Amino acid sequence: MTTKVTINIDPTQKILLKRKLNNNGQAQLFFTNEIARLSEPYVPFQGGDLKSKKAVSSNKITYIMPYARKQYFTNAGSGKEGTGKGGLRGKLWVKRCWADKGKDICKSVAQFVGGRAEW
């Protein structure tokens, strides 16, 4: 006795589109917005301009202030709520946010696309 089994699977692109995982799609934009939102407590803060003036696209976050690059790489963390005073604000804020909250971000993105994150 033989059994014949036929499996019909959608093409890869259709599966990715259904899960919002297409190139620069909704999942990528959601991920970038989550990083931008969760990294706000890490951004150096004096008057609030650096934290509030940013442009978020599907694959990058651009801080618009002219001094943003210098602050990102060299901030000493001695300002309001800075790392030098026991707070979170200081240099390399996106990388430090990812180190602290990466698992939470992965879980939220997985939930957004209808999956689950495993650790």
Side-chain angles (χ1 to χ4, degrees):
M1 178 192 291
T2 60
T3 304
K4 185 176 181 181
V5 177
T6 305
I7 300 173
N8 294 323
I9 298 176
D10 289 336
T12 307
Q13 291 302 320
K14 187 173 181 180
I15 295 169
L16 292 175
L17 187 62
K18 194 183 299 184
R19 293 284 188 157
K20 304 171 193 165
L21 292 168
N22 51 329
N23 195 15
N24 291 327
Q26 293 176 342
Q28 177 67 46
L29 185 59
F30 179 81
F31 172 76
T32 309
N33 280 315
E34 279 290 290
I35 292 283
R37 182 179 66 83
L38 292 174
S39 65
E40 279 190 14
Y42 294 80
V43 178
F45 185 89
Q46 187 171 17
D49 286 340
L50 180 61
K51 184 176 93 158
S52 63
K53 294 185 180 177
K54 64 181 174 282
V56 179
S57 66
S58 63
N59 59 359
K60 71 179 176 177
I61 305 165
T62 305
Y63 291 86
I64 300 171
M65 299 308 290
Y67 52 86
R69 182 180 182 82
K70 183 176 181 182
Q71 290 295 313
Y72 188 77
F73 290 108
T74 64
N75 185 283
S78 58
K80 190 178 195 180
E81 301 171 5
T83 55
K85 296 182 179 178
L88 295 173
R89 300 185 186 280
K91 64 182 177 180
L92 302 172
W93 56 84
V94 174
K95 288 183 180 185
R96 291 185 303 110
C97 173
W98 179 254
D100 292 347
K101 299 182 178 184
K103 288 183 180 181
D104 296 333
I105 295 168
C106 286
K107 285 179 185 176
S108 64
V109 172
Q111 184 178 5
F112 179 77
V113 298
R116 59 188 163 107
E118 293 183 5
W119 298 105

